[in-house]
Amino acid sequence: MVTGLDSARKQLQSRLKFMSTTFSKWLCAILVSALAYAGSGQTRPASSPPQPLRKASDLIRKQEPVKINQSLLKEITPDTVHIVVSLPKQRAYLMTGEQIVIDSPISSGKRGHSSPTGHFSLLEKDPNHHSSLYGDFVDGSGRTIRAGVSARIDSAPSGTRFVGAAMKWFMRLTGEGVGMHIGILPGYPASHGCIRMPSDGAKLFYDHVKVGTLVDVGDY
């Protein structure tokens, strides 16, 4: 009996010693990890606050505004001017002879809808033109249900009708509907083929040209 008790006591003491050693190692590991995390947190630079979103206007490449030769503008008539559109420069020039009267930024046709190049003469002038192909589907109250649609491709939802996009100060170049008019200028070719112009530039060109004015569009 004494021998059995001694053996059992030794086994218990050995087990307790093992458990104590294991617990100590586990506790040390936790402390080391905690200290390491705390130390790394002290040396890590504070995270910077989220940057505000940039405005769309900041992401758009700025173009030089309309430039006017006022002395030449006073001398010209619709019979003495012609238009040159430079696709690489994204500029349109109202010219008399070889002199530039008005220099305006433009946005020509994007890839897949490139503006036609060549020699044209203005076929029509319409101060309040609307596209017959591109526009919006609106309901009976005039609310836009779907914007930026093509009447040739998209189907009008029930109860809506197609309203063509406004093309103010429209100067027609082709029978297919390509022309020069007011539009959004993001700083690169973005239209469906037309030559978009700023409001002041379009109005100036419109006022100083006539049906039949010659227009050259190309890599000038």
Side-chain angles (χ1 to χ4, degrees), residues 67-70 72-73 92-104 205:
K67 302 174 183 178
I68 307 169
N69 185 321
Q70 294 291 349
L72 287 177
L73 188 64
Y93 307 99
L94 183 69
M95 305 188 67
T96 179
E98 296 299 317
Q99 295 179 292
I100 297 174
V101 183
I102 305 171
D103 173 357
S104 173
F205 273 61

Side-chain angles (χ1 to χ4, degrees), residues 110 113 131-138 144-157 160-167 192:
K110 60 187 176 182
H113 297 275
S131 174
S132 60
L133 182 58
Y134 299 104
D136 305 324
F137 289 134
V138 301
T144 300
I145 304 303
R146 287 181 58 190
V149 301
S150 169
R152 183 182 296 167
I153 299 174
D154 301 299
S155 299
T160 68
R161 59 188 175 87
F162 174 79
V163 174
M167 296 177 165
H192 287 96

Side-chain angles (χ1 to χ4, degrees), residues 174-190:
T174 73
E176 291 73 33
V178 174
M180 305 175 70
H181 59 82
I182 286 178
I184 297 173
L185 275 65
Y188 51 85

Side-chain angles (χ1 to χ4, degrees), residues 6 10 16 36 44 67 118 121-122 153 180 182 190 196-197:
D6 290 341
K10 290 180 180 180
L16 289 174
R44 185 180 301 143
K67 302 174 183 178
S121 61
L122 293 184
I153 299 174
M180 305 175 70
I182 286 178
R196 296 180 185 172
M197 306 182 72

Side-chain angles (χ1 to χ4, degrees), residues 4-71:
L5 286 173
D6 290 341
S7 177
R9 188 179 296 112
K10 290 180 180 180
Q11 290 179 3
L12 180 59
Q13 289 175 345
S14 177
R15 185 172 300 172
L16 289 174
K17 183 177 181 181
F18 173 78
M19 292 176 63
S20 176
T21 301
T22 302
F23 178 76
S24 298
K25 290 181 179 179
W26 174 76
L27 183 59
C28 287
I30 291 178
L31 290 174
V32 169
S33 298
L35 290 172
Y37 179 81
S40 62
Q42 291 174 358
T43 57
R44 185 180 301 143
S47 59
S48 58
Q51 297 297 316
L53 293 176
R54 297 176 65 185
K55 295 180 180 179
S57 58
D58 295 334
L59 301 175
I60 293 174
R61 182 170 63 83
K62 298 294 184 182
Q63 289 173 288
E64 289 292 323
V66 175
K67 302 174 183 178
I68 307 169
N69 185 321
Q70 294 291 349
S71 61

